[in-house]
Amino acid sequence: MPATIRRGFGYSPQPEALRSGLGRPANRPLGLATLALAVGFNLPYAWLASSFDYPAVLREPAPQILASFAAGGPTLVLAWYAFTLSALALVALAPALALTD
């Protein structure tokens, strides 16, 4: 009598240990990097939202935006750099995420 092949929702041909993530310690640094990226992206965004009124400030006229930016000083520039670098980190992390099982 042939073995029944079970297919459908939740089916995985891998053993339970591999489906649950056991035995795959190489994915742990990638998962931690993804979590760090999420936090690293949201911290500057939250700071920009609270201090610069981002993204609502983009609906204002350009002279008002530039005046708000100039009033923000170096800390605002550093927040924008952090926001930009977190987006660039996602570009670097995306291929690694695409290659995981």
Side-chain angles (χ1 to χ4, degrees), residues 32-79:
L32 292 175
T34 305
L35 288 173
L37 178 65
V39 171
F41 183 82
N42 282 299
L43 286 177
Y45 181 83
W47 192 86
L48 287 169
S50 67
S51 65
F52 189 60
D53 198 26
Y54 180 79
V57 73
L58 299 178
R59 294 182 189 93
E60 304 297 330
Q64 185 176 349
I65 296 171
L66 292 173
S68 297
F69 184 79
T75 55
L76 182 62
V77 174
L78 287 175

Side-chain angles (χ1 to χ4, degrees), residues 1-55:
M1 179 172 206
T4 307
I5 298 175
R6 211 179 81 176
R7 307 233 180 214
F9 183 74
Y11 170 76
S12 176
Q14 299 174 342
E16 179 65 31
L18 292 179
R19 276 187 276 146
S20 65
L22 300 174
R24 292 186 183 249
N27 287 344
R28 184 166 300 188
L30 187 59
L32 292 175
T34 305
L35 288 173
L37 178 65
V39 171
F41 183 82
N42 282 299
L43 286 177
Y45 181 83
W47 192 86
L48 287 169
S50 67
S51 65
F52 189 60
D53 198 26
Y54 180 79

Side-chain angles (χ1 to χ4, degrees), residues 37 41 81-94:
L37 178 65
F41 183 82
Y81 276 129
F83 195 47
T84 303
L85 290 176
S86 65
L88 291 176
L90 178 60
V91 171
L93 188 62

